[in-house]
Amino acid sequence: MSISAERRPVLDSVSKAIVEQLQEDGRRSYAEIGKAVGLSETATRQRVQKLQDAGVLQIVAVTDPLQLGFARQAMIGVRVSGDTRVIAAEMAELPGVIYVVSTAGSFDLLVEVVCESDDDLIDLLNDRIRSLPDVVATETFVYLKLHRQLYNWGTR
């Protein structure tokens, strides 16, 4: 793995294979991954640590919010005036906000949230998001049912 002029990691074929192994099963042992990619357990552990340190991957437990008491999920489209980076940084610090992305569409930002209830969503919208001075408008897309969510899109 090397760092390009843009400071973006360039993955070799072994690192890509490791990422793909972890995308299939994040609990796979280093020994299993090493066997699949042709490295020792120690070398595999070191590679995974380098990938984590470079920000290429993180190993986390993906949970079902409903099973953990978060009955309401939503995506909120946000239009702002001024510097979207400033508002994005403020949004990223709000409790319940799990995803913030700048866009080049009818919304400046998309903000994904998880809340315990509809009342909590209303409070988050009115008291936290819409009260930010540069937020001009919001549109909330309440999730009714999650049909597909994948994390194994592979590497290039």
Side-chain angles (χ1 to χ4, degrees):
M1 188 169 56
S2 65
I3 304 296
S4 72
E6 299 172 350
R7 303 201 34 86
R8 191 174 83 187
V10 177
L11 295 128
D12 63 16
S13 61
V14 174
S15 291
K16 288 179 182 180
I18 290 170
V19 169
E20 290 169 354
Q21 290 284 312
L22 288 167
Q23 284 178 325
E24 286 177 21
D25 180 359
R27 293 182 52 161
R28 190 166 284 155
S29 73
Y30 293 125
E32 285 180 86
I33 296 168
K35 185 175 180 183
V37 303
L39 291 177
S40 69
E41 179 179 348
T42 302
T44 302
R45 181 180 293 109
Q46 291 171 345
R47 285 274 189 130
V48 169
Q49 188 61 55
K50 284 182 183 178
L51 291 167
Q52 288 177 299
D53 292 346
V56 171
L57 66 84
Q58 55 182 310
I59 300 170
V60 298
V62 178
T63 60
D64 179 347
L66 289 172
Q67 304 248 356
L68 297 176
F70 297 98
R72 180 56 63 220
Q73 288 181 266
M75 183 68 71
I76 304 167
V78 181
R79 290 185 187 96
V80 304
S81 63
D83 191 339
T84 58
R85 296 170 294 190
V86 172
I87 297 297
E90 291 178 29
M91 294 277 187
E93 297 300 318
L94 296 177
V97 172
I98 61 169
Y99 179 83
V100 178
V101 63
S102 298
T103 66
S106 58
F107 298 105
D108 300 303
L109 303 171
L110 291 177
V111 179
E112 187 173 17
V113 300
V114 293
C115 300
E116 290 183 31
S117 67
D118 287 337
D119 287 337
D120 288 338
L121 175 59
I122 292 168
D123 291 344
L124 178 61
L125 279 166
N126 288 328
D127 300 340
R128 307 261 186 170
I129 294 174
R130 291 180 180 145
S131 67
L132 292 172
D134 289 333
V135 171
V136 175
T138 64
E139 185 172 347
T140 304
F141 303 90
V142 173
Y143 296 0
L144 298 177
K145 179 179 172 95
L146 179 63
H147 294 277
R148 185 174 188 187
Q149 184 172 3
L150 298 176
Y151 297 96
N152 60 345
W153 50 80
T155 60
R156 296 219 180 258

